[in-house]
Amino acid sequence: MRKTLALGVALLGTVVAPAAAESGRAFPTEFALPNGFMPEGIAIGNSPTAYFGSRADGSLYRVDLRTGKGEIFSKGPGTPSTGLKVDNRGRIFVSGASGGD
């Protein structure tokens, strides 16, 4: 059974409708994550891509915000990844939390 992460946007208590893609279709509001992933933190860079770190094993997952399709692109070291940041050059910085890496 896969878990999904639902993203909602609120502005001063008012729920905003999902944004529409250039094709006129609405962007997905849920993303399927791998079993046991335990997401922590989210980073979104200049491209329509979101990145998630895993508290379970430190793996990094990326999802295309236009399609909702994603993949683990970096297998973790076995310790949590808890904070992510994407800089203006597209590099991803990850906090190793209790693992210190």
Side-chain angles (χ1 to χ4, degrees):
M1 181 171 157
R2 292 175 62 106
K3 291 188 178 186
T4 59
L5 178 66
L7 296 180
V9 179
L11 179 62
L12 299 176
T14 304
V15 175
V16 179
E22 291 178 14
S23 66
R25 294 178 295 150
F27 285 110
T29 57
E30 293 185 355
F31 307 103
L33 297 173
N35 288 334
F37 189 77
M38 298 176 63
E40 171 66 30
I42 182 172
I44 300 174
N46 291 332
S47 65
T49 304
Y51 301 92
F52 302 90
S54 172
R55 289 182 294 137
D57 68 358
S59 291
L60 300 178
Y61 186 82
R62 72 175 149 225
V63 64
D64 185 318
L65 295 174
R66 297 167 295 192
T67 65
K69 293 181 181 177
E71 65 179 342
I72 291 178
F73 69 96
S74 178
K75 185 70 177 147
T79 57
S81 293
T82 57
L84 282 77
K85 174 81 174 165
V86 179
D87 71 4
N88 60 0
R89 292 172 53 188
R91 297 178 297 183
I92 301 170
F93 295 85
V94 182
S95 169
S98 60
D101 36 348

Coordinates of all heavy atoms in Angstrom, one line a residue:
M1 N 0.8 -1.2 0.0 CA 0.0 0.0 0.0 C 0.9 1.2 0.0 O 1.7 1.4 0.9 CB -0.9 0.0 1.2 CG -1.8 1.1 1.3 SD -3.0 0.8 2.7 CE -3.4 2.5 3.0
R2 N 0.7 2.1 -1.0 CA 1.5 3.3 -1.1 C 0.8 4.4 -0.3 O -0.4 4.6 -0.4 CB 1.7 3.7 -2.5 CG 2.6 2.7 -3.3 CD 2.6 3.0 -4.7 NE 3.2 4.3 -5.0 CZ 4.4 4.5 -5.5 NH1 5.2 3.5 -5.7 NH2 4.9 5.7 -5.7
K3 N 1.6 5.3 0.3 CA 1.1 6.4 0.9 C 1.1 7.6 -0.1 O 1.9 7.6 -1.0 CB 1.9 6.8 2.2 CG 1.8 5.8 3.3 CD 2.4 6.3 4.5 CE 2.2 5.3 5.6 NZ 2.7 5.7 6.9
T4 N 0.2 8.5 0.1 CA 0.2 9.7 -0.7 C 0.4 10.9 0.2 O 0.0 11.0 1.4 CB -1.1 9.9 -1.5 OG1 -2.2 10.0 -0.6 CG2 -1.3 8.8 -2.5
L5 N 1.0 12.0 -0.4 CA 1.2 13.2 0.3 C 0.3 14.2 -0.4 O 0.4 14.4 -1.6 CB 2.7 13.7 0.2 CG 3.0 15.0 0.9 CD1 2.8 14.9 2.4 CD2 4.4 15.4 0.5
A6 N -0.6 14.8 0.4 CA -1.6 15.8 -0.2 C -1.0 17.2 0.1 O -0.6 17.5 1.3 CB -2.9 15.6 0.4
L7 N -1.0 18.0 -0.9 CA -0.6 19.4 -0.7 C -1.8 20.3 -0.8 O -2.5 20.2 -1.8 CB 0.5 19.7 -1.8 CG 1.8 19.0 -1.7 CD1 2.7 19.5 -2.8 CD2 2.5 19.1 -0.4
G8 N -2.0 21.1 0.1 CA -3.0 22.1 0.0 C -2.4 23.5 0.2 O -1.4 23.7 0.9
V9 N -3.0 24.5 -0.4 CA -2.5 25.9 -0.3 C -3.6 26.7 0.4 O -4.8 26.7 0.0 CB -2.2 26.4 -1.7 CG1 -1.7 27.9 -1.6 CG2 -1.2 25.6 -2.4
A10 N -3.3 27.4 1.4 CA -4.2 28.3 2.1 C -3.7 29.7 2.2 O -2.5 29.9 2.3 CB -4.5 27.8 3.5
L11 N -4.5 30.7 2.0 CA -4.1 32.1 2.1 C -5.1 32.8 3.0 O -6.3 32.9 2.7 CB -4.2 32.7 0.7 CG -3.8 34.2 0.6 CD1 -2.4 34.4 1.0 CD2 -4.0 34.6 -0.9
L12 N -4.6 33.1 4.2 CA -5.4 33.8 5.2 C -6.7 33.0 5.5 O -7.8 33.5 5.6 CB -5.8 35.2 4.8 CG -4.6 36.1 4.6 CD1 -5.1 37.5 4.1 CD2 -3.8 36.3 5.9
G13 N -6.5 31.7 5.6 CA -7.7 30.8 5.9 C -8.6 30.4 4.8 O -9.5 29.7 4.9
T14 N -8.3 30.9 3.6 CA -9.1 30.6 2.4 C -8.3 29.6 1.6 O -7.2 29.8 1.2 CB -9.3 31.9 1.5 OG1 -9.9 32.9 2.4 CG2 -10.2 31.6 0.4
V15 N -9.0 28.5 1.2 CA -8.3 27.5 0.4 C -8.3 28.0 -1.0 O -9.3 28.4 -1.6 CB -9.1 26.1 0.5 CG1 -8.5 25.1 -0.4 CG2 -9.0 25.7 2.0
V16 N -7.2 27.8 -1.7 CA -7.0 28.3 -3.1 C -7.1 27.0 -4.0 O -6.6 26.0 -3.7 CB -5.6 28.9 -3.2 CG1 -5.4 29.4 -4.7 CG2 -5.5 30.1 -2.3
A17 N -7.8 27.2 -5.1 CA -7.9 26.1 -6.0 C -6.6 25.7 -6.6 O -5.7 26.5 -6.7 CB -8.9 26.5 -7.1
P18 N -6.4 24.4 -7.0 CA -5.1 24.0 -7.6 C -4.8 24.8 -8.8 O -5.7 25.1 -9.6 CB -5.4 22.5 -8.0 CG -6.5 22.1 -7.1 CD -7.3 23.3 -6.9
A19 N -3.6 25.1 -9.0 CA -3.1 25.9 -10.2 C -3.3 25.0 -11.5 O -3.3 23.8 -11.4 CB -1.7 26.3 -10.1
A20 N -3.5 25.7 -12.6 CA -3.7 25.0 -13.8 C -2.4 24.9 -14.6 O -1.6 25.9 -14.6 CB -4.8 25.6 -14.7
A21 N -2.1 23.8 -15.2 CA -0.9 23.7 -16.0 C -1.1 24.4 -17.3 O -2.2 24.8 -17.7 CB -0.6 22.2 -16.3
E22 N -0.1 24.6 -18.1 CA -0.2 25.3 -19.4 C -1.2 24.7 -20.3 O -1.8 25.3 -21.1 CB 1.2 25.4 -20.0 CG 2.1 26.3 -19.3 CD 3.5 26.4 -20.0 OE1 3.7 25.9 -21.1 OE2 4.4 26.9 -19.3
S23 N -1.4 23.4 -20.2 CA -2.3 22.6 -21.1 C -3.8 22.8 -20.6 O -4.7 22.3 -21.3 CB -2.0 21.1 -21.1 OG -2.2 20.6 -19.8
G24 N -4.0 23.6 -19.5 CA -5.3 23.8 -19.0 C -5.7 22.8 -18.0 O -6.8 22.9 -17.4
R25 N -4.9 21.7 -17.8 CA -5.3 20.7 -16.8 C -4.8 21.2 -15.4 O -3.8 21.9 -15.3 CB -4.6 19.4 -17.1 CG -5.1 18.7 -18.3 CD -4.3 17.4 -18.6 NE -2.9 17.8 -18.9 CZ -1.9 17.0 -18.6 NH1 -2.1 15.8 -18.1 NH2 -0.7 17.4 -18.9
A26 N -5.5 20.8 -14.4 CA -5.0 21.2 -13.0 C -3.8 20.4 -12.6 O -3.7 19.2 -13.0 CB -6.2 21.0 -12.0
F27 N -2.9 21.0 -11.9 CA -1.8 20.3 -11.3 C -2.3 19.3 -10.3 O -3.3 19.5 -9.7 CB -0.8 21.2 -10.6 CG 0.0 22.1 -11.5 CD1 -0.2 23.4 -11.7 CD2 1.0 21.5 -12.3 CE1 0.6 24.2 -12.5 CE2 1.8 22.3 -13.1 CZ 1.6 23.6 -13.3
P28 N -1.6 18.2 -10.1 CA -2.0 17.2 -9.1 C -1.9 17.7 -7.7 O -1.1 18.6 -7.5 CB -1.0 16.0 -9.3 CG 0.1 16.5 -10.1 CD -0.4 17.7 -10.9
T29 N -2.7 17.3 -6.8 CA -2.7 17.7 -5.4 C -2.2 16.6 -4.5 O -2.1 16.9 -3.3 CB -4.1 18.2 -5.0 OG1 -5.0 17.1 -5.2 CG2 -4.6 19.4 -5.8
E30 N -2.0 15.4 -5.0 CA -1.5 14.3 -4.2 C -0.3 13.7 -5.0 O -0.4 13.6 -6.2 CB -2.5 13.3 -3.9 CG -3.6 13.8 -3.0 CD -4.6 12.7 -2.6 OE1 -4.5 11.6 -3.1 OE2 -5.4 12.9 -1.8
F31 N 0.7 13.2 -4.2 CA 1.8 12.5 -4.8 C 2.0 11.2 -4.1 O 2.1 11.2 -2.9 CB 3.1 13.4 -4.7 CG 2.9 14.7 -5.3 CD1 2.7 15.8 -4.4 CD2 2.9 15.0 -6.6 CE1 2.6 17.1 -4.9 CE2 2.7 16.2 -7.1 CZ 2.5 17.3 -6.2
A32 N 2.1 10.1 -4.9 CA 2.4 8.8 -4.3 C 3.8 8.7 -3.9 O 4.7 9.0 -4.6 CB 2.1 7.7 -5.3
L33 N 4.1 8.3 -2.6 CA 5.4 8.2 -2.1 C 5.7 6.7 -1.9 O 4.8 5.9 -1.7 CB 5.6 8.9 -0.8 CG 5.4 10.4 -0.9 CD1 5.5 11.0 0.5 CD2 6.5 11.0 -1.7
P34 N 7.0 6.3 -1.9 CA 7.3 4.9 -1.7 C 6.9 4.4 -0.3 O 6.8 5.2 0.6 CB 8.8 4.8 -1.8 CG 9.2 6.0 -2.6 CD 8.2 7.1 -2.3
N35 N 6.6 3.2 -0.1 CA 6.2 2.6 1.2 C 7.2 2.9 2.2 O 8.4 2.7 1.9 CB 5.9 1.1 1.1 CG 4.7 0.8 0.3 OD1 3.7 1.6 0.3 ND2 4.6 -0.4 -0.3
G36 N 6.8 3.4 3.4 CA 7.7 3.6 4.5 C 8.7 4.8 4.3 O 9.6 4.9 5.0
F37 N 8.4 5.7 3.3 CA 9.3 6.8 3.0 C 9.4 7.8 4.2 O 10.5 8.3 4.4 CB 8.9 7.5 1.8 CG 9.9 8.5 1.3 CD1 11.0 8.1 0.6 CD2 9.7 9.8 1.5 CE1 12.0 9.0 0.2 CE2 10.7 10.8 1.1 CZ 11.8 10.3 0.4
M38 N 8.4 8.1 4.9 CA 8.4 9.0 6.0 C 9.0 10.4 5.6 O 10.1 10.8 6.0 CB 9.1 8.5 7.2 CG 8.5 7.2 7.8 SD 9.5 6.5 9.1 CE 9.4 7.7 10.3
P39 N 8.3 11.2 4.8 CA 8.8 12.4 4.3 C 9.0 13.5 5.4 O 8.3 13.5 6.3 CB 7.7 12.9 3.3 CG 6.5 12.3 3.8 CD 6.9 11.0 4.4
E40 N 10.1 14.2 5.2 CA 10.4 15.3 6.1 C 11.0 16.5 5.3 O 11.9 16.3 4.6 CB 11.3 14.9 7.2 CG 11.9 16.0 8.1 CD 10.8 16.6 8.9 OE1 9.9 16.0 9.3 OE2 11.0 17.8 9.2
G41 N 10.4 17.6 5.4 CA 10.9 18.8 4.7 C 10.5 18.7 3.2 O 10.2 17.6 2.7
I42 N 10.5 19.8 2.6 CA 10.2 19.9 1.1 C 10.9 21.1 0.6 O 11.1 22.1 1.3 CB 8.7 20.0 0.9 CG1 8.4 20.0 -0.6 CG2 8.1 21.2 1.5 CD1 6.9 19.9 -1.0
A43 N 11.5 20.9 -0.6 CA 12.2 22.0 -1.2 C 11.7 22.1 -2.7 O 11.5 21.1 -3.3 CB 13.7 21.8 -1.2
I44 N 11.5 23.3 -3.2 CA 11.0 23.5 -4.5 C 12.0 24.6 -5.1 O 12.1 25.7 -4.6 CB 9.6 24.0 -4.6 CG1 8.7 23.0 -4.0 CG2 9.2 24.3 -6.1 CD1 7.2 23.4 -3.9
G45 N 12.6 24.2 -6.2 CA 13.5 25.1 -6.9 C 12.8 25.9 -8.0 O 11.6 26.1 -7.9
N46 N 13.6 26.4 -8.9 CA 13.1 27.2 -10.0 C 12.3 26.4 -11.0 O 11.4 26.9 -11.6 CB 14.2 27.9 -10.7 CG 14.8 29.0 -9.9 OD1 14.2 29.6 -9.0 ND2 16.1 29.3 -10.1
S47 N 12.6 25.1 -11.1 CA 11.8 24.3 -12.0 C 10.6 23.7 -11.3 O 10.5 23.8 -10.0 CB 12.7 23.1 -12.5 OG 13.0 22.3 -11.4
P48 N 9.6 23.2 -12.0 CA 8.4 22.7 -11.3 C 8.7 21.3 -10.7 O 8.0 20.3 -11.0 CB 7.4 22.6 -12.4 CG 8.1 22.4 -13.6 CD 9.5 23.1 -13.4
T49 N 9.7 21.2 -9.8 CA 10.1 19.9 -9.2 C 10.1 20.1 -7.7 O 10.7 21.1 -7.2 CB 11.5 19.5 -9.7 OG1 11.4 19.3 -11.1 CG2 11.8 18.1 -9.1
A50 N 9.6 19.2 -6.9 CA 9.6 19.2 -5.5 C 10.5 18.1 -5.0 O 10.6 17.0 -5.6 CB 8.2 19.1 -4.9
Y51 N 11.2 18.3 -3.9 CA 12.2 17.4 -3.4 C 11.8 17.1 -2.0 O 11.4 18.0 -1.2 CB 13.6 17.9 -3.4 CG 14.1 18.2 -4.8 CD1 13.9 19.5 -5.3 CD2 14.7 17.3 -5.6 CE1 14.4 19.8 -6.6 CE2 15.1 17.6 -6.9 CZ 14.9 18.9 -7.4 OH 15.4 19.2 -8.6
F52 N 11.8 15.8 -1.6 CA 11.5 15.3 -0.2 C 12.6 14.5 0.3 O 13.2 13.7 -0.4 CB 10.2 14.5 -0.2 CG 9.0 15.1 -0.8 CD1 8.8 15.0 -2.2 CD2 8.2 15.8 0.0 CE1 7.6 15.6 -2.7 CE2 7.0 16.4 -0.5 CZ 6.8 16.3 -1.9
G53 N 12.9 14.7 1.6 CA 13.9 13.8 2.3 C 13.1 12.8 3.1 O 12.0 13.0 3.5
S54 N 13.8 11.6 3.4 CA 13.1 10.6 4.2 C 13.7 10.5 5.6 O 14.9 10.4 5.7 CB 13.3 9.2 3.5 OG 12.9 8.2 4.3
R55 N 12.8 10.5 6.6 CA 13.3 10.3 7.9 C 13.6 8.8 8.2 O 14.3 8.5 9.1 CB 12.2 10.7 8.9 CG 12.0 12.2 9.0 CD 10.9 12.5 10.0 NE 9.6 12.0 9.6 CZ 8.7 11.4 10.4 NH1 9.0 11.2 11.6 NH2 7.6 11.0 9.9
A56 N 13.1 7.9 7.3 CA 13.4 6.5 7.5 C 14.8 6.1 7.2 O 15.5 5.5 8.0 CB 12.4 5.7 6.6
D57 N 15.3 6.5 6.0 CA 16.7 6.1 5.6 C 17.5 7.2 4.9 O 18.6 6.9 4.5 CB 16.6 4.9 4.7 CG 16.0 5.1 3.3 OD1 15.6 6.3 3.1 OD2 16.0 4.2 2.5
G58 N 17.0 8.4 4.8 CA 17.7 9.5 4.2 C 17.6 9.6 2.7 O 18.3 10.4 2.1
S59 N 16.8 8.7 2.1 CA 16.7 8.8 0.6 C 16.1 10.1 0.2 O 15.4 10.7 1.0 CB 15.8 7.6 0.1 OG 16.5 6.4 0.3
L60 N 16.4 10.5 -1.0 CA 15.8 11.7 -1.6 C 14.9 11.4 -2.7 O 15.2 10.6 -3.6 CB 16.9 12.7 -2.0 CG 17.9 13.1 -1.0 CD1 19.0 14.0 -1.6 CD2 17.2 13.8 0.2
Y61 N 13.7 12.0 -2.7 CA 12.7 11.7 -3.7 C 12.4 13.0 -4.4 O 12.3 14.1 -3.8 CB 11.4 11.2 -2.9 CG 10.3 10.8 -3.8 CD1 10.3 9.5 -4.4 CD2 9.2 11.6 -4.1 CE1 9.2 9.1 -5.1 CE2 8.2 11.2 -4.9 CZ 8.2 9.9 -5.4 OH 7.1 9.5 -6.2
R62 N 12.2 13.0 -5.7 CA 11.8 14.1 -6.5 C 10.5 13.8 -7.2 O 10.3 12.7 -7.7 CB 12.9 14.6 -7.4 CG 13.1 13.8 -8.6 CD 14.1 14.4 -9.5 NE 14.8 13.3 -10.2 CZ 16.1 13.2 -10.4 NH1 16.9 14.2 -10.0 NH2 16.7 12.2 -11.0
V63 N 9.6 14.8 -7.3 CA 8.4 14.7 -8.0 C 8.2 15.9 -9.0 O 8.5 17.0 -8.6 CB 7.2 14.5 -7.0 CG1 7.0 15.8 -6.2 CG2 5.9 14.2 -7.8
D64 N 7.7 15.6 -10.2 CA 7.4 16.6 -11.1 C 6.0 17.2 -10.7 O 5.0 16.5 -10.7 CB 7.3 16.1 -12.6 CG 7.1 17.1 -13.6 OD1 6.2 18.0 -13.4 OD2 7.8 17.0 -14.7
L65 N 5.9 18.5 -10.4 CA 4.7 19.1 -9.9 C 3.6 19.2 -11.0 O 2.5 19.4 -10.7 CB 5.0 20.4 -9.3 CG 5.8 20.4 -8.1 CD1 6.2 21.8 -7.6 CD2 5.2 19.7 -6.9
R66 N 4.0 19.1 -12.3 CA 3.1 19.1 -13.4 C 2.3 17.8 -13.6 O 1.2 17.8 -13.9 CB 3.7 19.5 -14.7 CG 4.4 20.9 -14.6 CD 5.3 21.1 -15.8 NE 6.4 20.1 -15.7 CZ 7.5 20.1 -16.4 NH1 7.6 21.0 -17.3 NH2 8.4 19.3 -16.2
T67 N 3.1 16.7 -13.4 CA 2.5 15.4 -13.7 C 2.2 14.5 -12.4 O 1.4 13.6 -12.5 CB 3.5 14.6 -14.5 OG1 4.7 14.3 -13.8 CG2 3.8 15.3 -15.8
G68 N 2.9 14.8 -11.3 CA 2.8 14.0 -10.1 C 3.7 12.8 -10.1 O 3.7 12.0 -9.1
K69 N 4.4 12.6 -11.2 CA 5.3 11.4 -11.2 C 6.6 11.7 -10.5 O 7.2 12.8 -10.6 CB 5.6 11.0 -12.7 CG 4.4 10.6 -13.4 CD 4.7 10.2 -14.8 CE 3.4 9.7 -15.5 NZ 3.6 9.4 -16.9
G70 N 7.1 10.7 -9.8 CA 8.3 10.9 -9.0 C 9.2 9.6 -8.9 O 8.8 8.6 -9.4
E71 N 10.3 9.8 -8.3 CA 11.3 8.7 -8.1 C 12.3 9.0 -7.0 O 12.5 10.2 -6.7 CB 12.1 8.5 -9.4 CG 13.0 9.7 -9.8 CD 13.8 9.5 -11.1 OE1 13.9 8.4 -11.5 OE2 14.2 10.6 -11.6
I72 N 12.8 8.0 -6.4 CA 14.0 8.2 -5.5 C 15.2 8.4 -6.4 O 15.4 7.5 -7.3 CB 14.1 6.9 -4.6 CG1 13.0 6.9 -3.6 CG2 15.5 7.0 -3.9 CD1 13.0 5.7 -2.7
F73 N 15.9 9.5 -6.3 CA 17.0 9.7 -7.1 C 18.3 9.6 -6.4 O 19.4 9.7 -7.0 CB 16.9 11.1 -7.8 CG 17.0 12.3 -6.9 CD1 18.3 12.9 -6.7 CD2 16.0 12.8 -6.2 CE1 18.4 14.0 -5.9 CE2 16.1 13.8 -5.4 CZ 17.3 14.5 -5.2
S74 N 18.3 9.5 -5.0 CA 19.5 9.3 -4.2 C 19.1 8.4 -3.1 O 18.3 8.7 -2.2 CB 20.0 10.6 -3.7 OG 21.1 10.4 -2.9
K75 N 19.7 7.2 -3.0 CA 19.5 6.3 -1.9 C 20.2 6.8 -0.7 O 21.3 7.2 -0.7 CB 20.1 4.9 -2.3 CG 19.8 3.8 -1.3 CD 18.3 3.5 -1.3 CE 18.1 2.3 -0.3 NZ 16.8 2.4 0.3
G76 N 19.5 6.8 0.4 CA 20.0 7.3 1.7 C 21.1 6.5 2.4 O 21.2 5.3 2.1
P77 N 21.8 7.1 3.3 CA 22.8 6.4 4.0 C 22.3 5.6 5.2 O 23.1 5.0 5.9 CB 23.7 7.6 4.5 CG 22.7 8.7 4.7 CD 21.7 8.5 3.6
G78 N 21.0 5.6 5.5 CA 20.5 4.9 6.6 C 20.1 5.8 7.8 O 19.6 5.3 8.7
T79 N 20.5 7.0 7.7 CA 20.1 8.0 8.7 C 19.2 9.0 8.1 O 19.1 9.2 6.9 CB 21.4 8.7 9.3 OG1 22.1 9.3 8.2 CG2 22.3 7.7 10.0
P80 N 18.4 9.7 8.9 CA 17.3 10.6 8.4 C 17.9 11.8 7.6 O 19.0 12.3 7.9 CB 16.6 11.2 9.7 CG 17.0 10.3 10.8 CD 18.3 9.7 10.4
S81 N 17.1 12.2 6.6 CA 17.3 13.5 5.9 C 16.1 14.4 6.3 O 15.0 14.1 6.1 CB 17.3 13.3 4.4 OG 18.4 12.6 4.0
T82 N 16.4 15.5 7.0 CA 15.3 16.3 7.6 C 15.1 17.7 7.1 O 14.0 18.2 7.2 CB 15.5 16.4 9.1 OG1 16.7 17.0 9.4 CG2 15.4 15.0 9.8
G83 N 16.0 18.3 6.4 CA 15.8 19.6 5.9 C 16.5 19.7 4.5 O 17.6 19.2 4.3
L84 N 15.8 20.3 3.6 CA 16.3 20.4 2.2 C 16.2 21.9 1.8 O 15.3 22.6 2.2 CB 15.4 19.6 1.3 CG 15.7 18.1 1.2 CD1 15.0 17.4 2.4 CD2 15.2 17.5 0.0
K85 N 17.1 22.2 1.0 CA 17.2 23.6 0.4 C 17.7 23.4 -1.0 O 18.7 22.7 -1.3 CB 18.1 24.5 1.2 CG 18.3 25.8 0.7 CD 17.2 26.7 1.0 CE 17.6 28.2 0.5 NZ 16.5 29.0 0.4
V86 N 17.1 24.1 -2.0 CA 17.6 24.2 -3.4 C 18.1 25.6 -3.6 O 17.4 26.6 -3.3 CB 16.5 23.8 -4.4 CG1 17.0 23.9 -5.8 CG2 15.9 22.5 -4.1
D87 N 19.4 25.7 -4.0 CA 19.9 27.1 -4.2 C 19.6 27.5 -5.7 O 19.0 26.8 -6.5 CB 21.4 27.2 -3.9 CG 22.3 26.5 -4.9 OD1 21.8 25.9 -5.9 OD2 23.5 26.5 -4.6
N88 N 20.0 28.8 -6.0 CA 19.7 29.3 -7.3 C 20.4 28.7 -8.5 O 20.2 28.9 -9.6 CB 19.9 30.8 -7.3 CG 21.3 31.2 -7.0 OD1 22.2 30.4 -6.8 ND2 21.6 32.5 -7.0
R89 N 21.4 27.8 -8.1 CA 22.1 27.0 -9.2 C 21.5 25.6 -9.3 O 22.1 24.8 -10.1 CB 23.6 26.9 -8.8 CG 24.2 28.3 -8.9 CD 25.7 28.3 -8.4 NE 26.5 27.3 -9.0 CZ 27.7 27.0 -8.6 NH1 28.3 27.7 -7.6 NH2 28.4 26.1 -9.2
G90 N 20.4 25.3 -8.6 CA 19.8 24.0 -8.7 C 20.4 22.9 -7.8 O 20.1 21.7 -7.9
R91 N 21.4 23.3 -6.9 CA 22.0 22.3 -6.0 C 21.1 22.1 -4.8 O 20.4 23.0 -4.4 CB 23.4 22.8 -5.6 CG 24.4 23.0 -6.7 CD 25.7 23.5 -6.2 NE 25.5 24.8 -5.6 CZ 26.4 25.6 -5.2 NH1 27.7 25.2 -5.2 NH2 26.2 26.8 -4.7
I92 N 21.1 20.8 -4.4 CA 20.2 20.5 -3.2 C 21.1 20.3 -2.0 O 22.1 19.5 -2.0 CB 19.4 19.2 -3.5 CG1 18.5 19.4 -4.7 CG2 18.6 18.8 -2.3 CD1 17.9 18.1 -5.2
F93 N 20.8 21.0 -0.9 CA 21.5 20.8 0.3 C 20.6 20.1 1.3 O 19.4 20.4 1.4 CB 21.9 22.2 0.9 CG 22.9 22.9 0.0 CD1 22.5 23.7 -1.0 CD2 24.2 22.8 0.3 CE1 23.4 24.3 -1.9 CE2 25.2 23.4 -0.5 CZ 24.7 24.2 -1.6
V94 N 21.1 19.1 2.0 CA 20.3 18.2 2.9 C 20.9 18.2 4.2 O 22.1 18.0 4.4 CB 20.3 16.8 2.3 CG1 19.4 15.9 3.1 CG2 19.8 16.8 0.8
S95 N 20.1 18.3 5.3 CA 20.5 18.2 6.7 C 20.4 16.7 7.0 O 19.4 16.0 6.8 CB 19.6 19.0 7.6 OG 19.8 18.6 8.9
G96 N 21.5 16.2 7.7 CA 21.6 14.8 8.1 C 21.0 14.5 9.4 O 21.0 13.4 9.9
A97 N 20.4 15.5 10.1 CA 19.7 15.3 11.4 C 20.6 14.6 12.4 O 21.8 14.9 12.5 CB 18.4 14.6 11.2
S98 N 20.1 13.6 13.0 CA 20.8 12.9 14.1 C 22.0 12.1 13.6 O 22.9 11.8 14.3 CB 19.9 11.9 14.8 OG 19.4 10.9 13.9
G99 N 22.1 11.8 12.3 CA 23.2 11.1 11.7 C 24.4 12.0 11.6 O 25.6 11.5 11.4
G100 N 24.2 13.3 11.6 CA 25.4 14.3 11.5 C 26.0 14.3 10.1 O 27.1 14.9 10.0
D101 N 25.4 13.7 9.1 CA 26.0 13.8 7.8 C 25.2 14.7 6.9 O 24.2 15.2 7.2 CB 26.1 12.4 7.1 CG 24.9 11.5 7.5 OD1 24.1 11.8 8.4 OD2 24.8 10.4 6.8

